């Protein structure tokens, strides 16, 4: 079993920044595909950004150029740097790990963008 613990969410004004972190409990982290998803009220969960074990990243069109995903395999941690935040970015953000057919989720962290 893999446990994922997210941190870094909160309330921020439009145009502000936040950095989310997700720590994994097992060393398979270095072999896994990692991702950040989000779910806003009344909407489906959507992929925000993903990163392969080699460090290749992909982003949703809505966050391209504003968000950056990165990983530190030595710390079993993936990050999501979010800049130029907009009210539309308000959602619960979830960390995801995929490895060997397994699909694991964190508990989620709330991000609220509001003045």
């Amino acid at each position: 079993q893999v446990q994922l613990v997210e941190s870094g969410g909160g309330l921020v004004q439009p145009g502000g920044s936040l950095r989310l972190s997700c720590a994994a409990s097992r060393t398979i982290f270095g072999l896994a595909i990692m991702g950040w998803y989000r779910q806003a009220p009344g909407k489906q969960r959507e992929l925000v950004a993903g990163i392969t074990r080699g460090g290749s990243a992909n982003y949703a069109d809505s966050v391209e150029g504003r968000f950056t995903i990165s990983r530190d395999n030595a710390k079993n941690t993936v990050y999501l740097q979010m800049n130029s935040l907009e009210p539309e970015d308000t959602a619960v953000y979830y960390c995801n790990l995929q490895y060997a057919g397994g699909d694991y989720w964190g508990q989620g962290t709330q991000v609220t963008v509001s003045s």
Side-chain angles (χ1 to χ4, degrees):
Q1 190 64 280
V2 178
Q3 290 184 324
L4 301 172
V5 180
E6 299 118 332
S7 60
L11 173 64
V12 64
Q13 292 186 342
S17 298
L18 283 175
R19 187 194 196 202
L20 305 183
S21 300
C22 171
S25 61
R26 292 183 59 187
T27 56
I28 61 168
F29 176 89
L31 303 175
I33 296 171
M34 300 300 301
W36 285 99
Y37 289 71
R38 67 186 181 187
Q39 188 167 18
K43 294 187 177 181
Q44 290 188 329
R45 190 173 297 189
E46 63 175 355
L47 175 67
V48 175
I51 187 167
T52 67
R53 61 184 183 182
S56 296
N58 63 284
Y59 299 93
D61 290 344
S62 59
V63 306
E64 183 82 52
R66 299 188 297 122
F67 291 10
T68 302
I69 188 171
S70 61
R71 65 192 296 162
D72 185 337
N73 292 340
K75 296 182 178 179
N76 291 350
T77 301
V78 63
Y79 305 96
L80 185 68
Q81 178 67 44
M82 305 185 294
N83 298 328
S84 301
L85 283 160
E86 304 169 352
E88 293 73 22
D89 296 317
T90 295
V92 178
Y93 284 69
Y94 296 90
C95 177
N96 175 259
L97 182 153
Q98 297 179 15
Y99 173 73
D103 197 13
Y104 304 93
W105 294 91
Q107 81 285 355
T109 185
Q110 176 71 45
V111 172
T112 302
V113 185
S114 175
S115 56

